[in-house]
């Protein structure tokens, strides 16, 4: 899919206090960035940020970092957060900011080992990632064994990767790649919304709502080491 460039995106992101610049300088220091000892969770390919902002609102005891490669997409997530905070201010004038436990980074996910220290991340979310359908591009898929090796560099020993998609070919690929990478598939389902155990507490993304409305079953995998 060809993304439309938004000229103002770079300037808005540069000026926004929730968007981290020079992210590699904070390797091993992310709890200091948030000013607390809460565990850090990241979402890779966060899109417009609906999932991440909802998770941050539900879990103030966690810190969340959204990673998005394209500035024009990250802009939408930043605008969503600003809108939520404006609504909160109108409801409670003078109150605290809505979500202090969320930050954003505009970067290529392949570089996460340069941004996070080993064991610094408690969990990774992958939601409706680009399937990269051509075989020669398989290494670029966020659930390839190459990416599982990258996740191994930053995840805490008990850390997990949670992956959702409506693409059944990609899901089958992901199950196989987790195994090849030496990970364990702890839980999986080919129809998340029909699985009471795995669907409990599920936060839907924009894509998830769209695909579910069309009758597409949602697949989910949780993997650990």
């Amino acid at each position: 899919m060809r993304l439309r460039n938004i000229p103002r995106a770079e300037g808005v992101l540069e000026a926004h206090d929730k968007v981290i610049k020079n992210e590699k300088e904070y390797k091993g220091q992310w709890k200091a960035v948030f000013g607390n000892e809460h565990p850090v969770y990241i979402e890779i390919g966060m899109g417009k940020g609906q999932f991440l902002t909802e998770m941050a609102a539900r879990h103030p005891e966690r810190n969340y970092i959204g990673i998005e490669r394209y500035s024009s997409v990250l802009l939408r997530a930043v605008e969503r957060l600003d809108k939520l905070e404006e609504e909160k201010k109108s409801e409670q004038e003078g109150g605290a900011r809505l979500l202090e436990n969320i930050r954003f980074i505009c970067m290529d996910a392949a570089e996460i080992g340069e941004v996070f220290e080993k064991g610094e991340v408690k969990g990774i979310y992958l939601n409706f990632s680009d399937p990269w359908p051509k075989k020669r591009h398989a290494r670029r898929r966020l659930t390839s064994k190459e990416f599982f090796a990258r996740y191994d560099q930053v995840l805490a020993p008990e850390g997990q990767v949670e992956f959702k998609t409506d693409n059944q070919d990609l899901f089958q690929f992901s199950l196989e790649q987790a195994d090849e990478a030496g990970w364990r598939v702890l839980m999986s389902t080919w129809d998340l919304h029909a699985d009471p155990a795995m669907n409990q507490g599920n936060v839907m993304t924009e894509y998830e709502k769209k695909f579910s409305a069309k009758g597409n079953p949602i697949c989910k995998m949780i993997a650990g080491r």
Side-chain angles (χ1 to χ4, degrees):
M1 180 180 67
R2 187 176 183 85
L3 292 173
R4 181 171 62 89
N5 181 53
I6 302 178
R8 65 187 176 87
E10 297 291 345
V12 172
L13 299 181
E14 182 65 30
H16 203 283
D17 64 342
K18 294 292 182 70
V19 178
I20 301 296
K21 278 68 72 171
N22 304 315
E23 60 275 357
K24 294 178 183 179
E25 297 179 4
Y26 299 100
K27 183 176 181 177
Q29 304 296 323
W30 286 102
K31 289 185 179 179
V33 170
F34 287 97
N36 59 54
E37 292 297 313
H38 298 165
V40 174
Y41 291 76
I42 65 177
E43 182 184 7
I44 298 176
M46 58 171 288
K48 297 179 182 178
Q50 179 170 312
F51 174 85
L52 198 73
T53 53
E54 177 62 25
M55 289 294 287
R58 289 190 185 190
H59 298 284
E61 77 284 0
R62 300 177 179 178
N63 296 321
Y64 289 93
I65 300 174
I67 295 173
E68 177 54 54
R69 181 176 181 179
Y70 300 103
S71 61
S72 294
V73 178
L74 181 52
L75 174 66
R76 299 309 187 197
V78 167
E79 290 176 335
R80 174 189 290 275
L81 179 64
D82 288 345
K83 182 179 179 181
L84 288 172
E85 293 195 332
E86 285 300 319
E87 291 172 352
K88 182 67 174 180
K89 288 177 182 177
S90 66
E91 294 173 5
Q92 186 177 354
E93 187 174 353
R97 294 190 66 177
L98 178 60
L99 297 176
E100 291 294 344
N101 60 334
I102 191 169
R103 298 291 188 277
F104 305 112
I105 306 176
C106 191
M107 61 173 280
D108 190 320
E111 298 180 348
I112 60 171
E114 301 175 42
V115 176
F116 300 99
E117 192 59 78
K118 188 172 181 64
E120 194 170 20
V121 176
K122 184 66 178 293
I124 296 175
Y125 299 101
L126 310 172
N127 292 313
F128 300 89
S129 309
D130 190 333
W132 291 100
K134 294 182 179 179
K135 189 174 182 179
R136 68 176 184 272
H137 293 154
R139 293 165 61 94
R140 300 184 186 183
R141 298 169 189 161
L142 293 181
T143 50
S144 67
K145 61 184 179 182
E146 288 81 10
F147 268 95
F148 273 112
R150 294 181 175 108
Y151 304 148
D152 188 53
Q153 294 176 12
V154 303
L155 270 176
E158 73 281 8
Q160 298 177 351
V161 172
E162 298 192 15
F163 170 60
K164 289 194 290 188
T165 183
D166 73 318
N167 187 313
Q168 297 194 0
D169 289 339
L170 178 60
F171 190 63
Q172 181 63 48
F173 168 86
S174 304
L175 293 171
E176 294 169 357
Q177 290 287 288
D179 183 63
E180 286 188 30
W183 289 56
R184 294 181 297 122
V185 176
L186 305 175
M187 298 180 73
S188 68
T189 178
W190 291 83
D191 192 350
L192 173 62
H193 298 165
D195 187 321
M198 291 197 71
N199 196 44
Q200 185 175 7
N202 180 53
V203 173
M204 290 208 290
T205 73
E206 298 95 332
Y207 282 118
E208 188 170 351
K209 290 180 178 179
K210 177 182 176 181
F211 296 143
S212 295
K214 293 180 178 180
N216 296 7
I218 305 301
C219 307
K220 181 173 182 178
M221 171 184 76
I222 300 176
R225 293 156 298 173

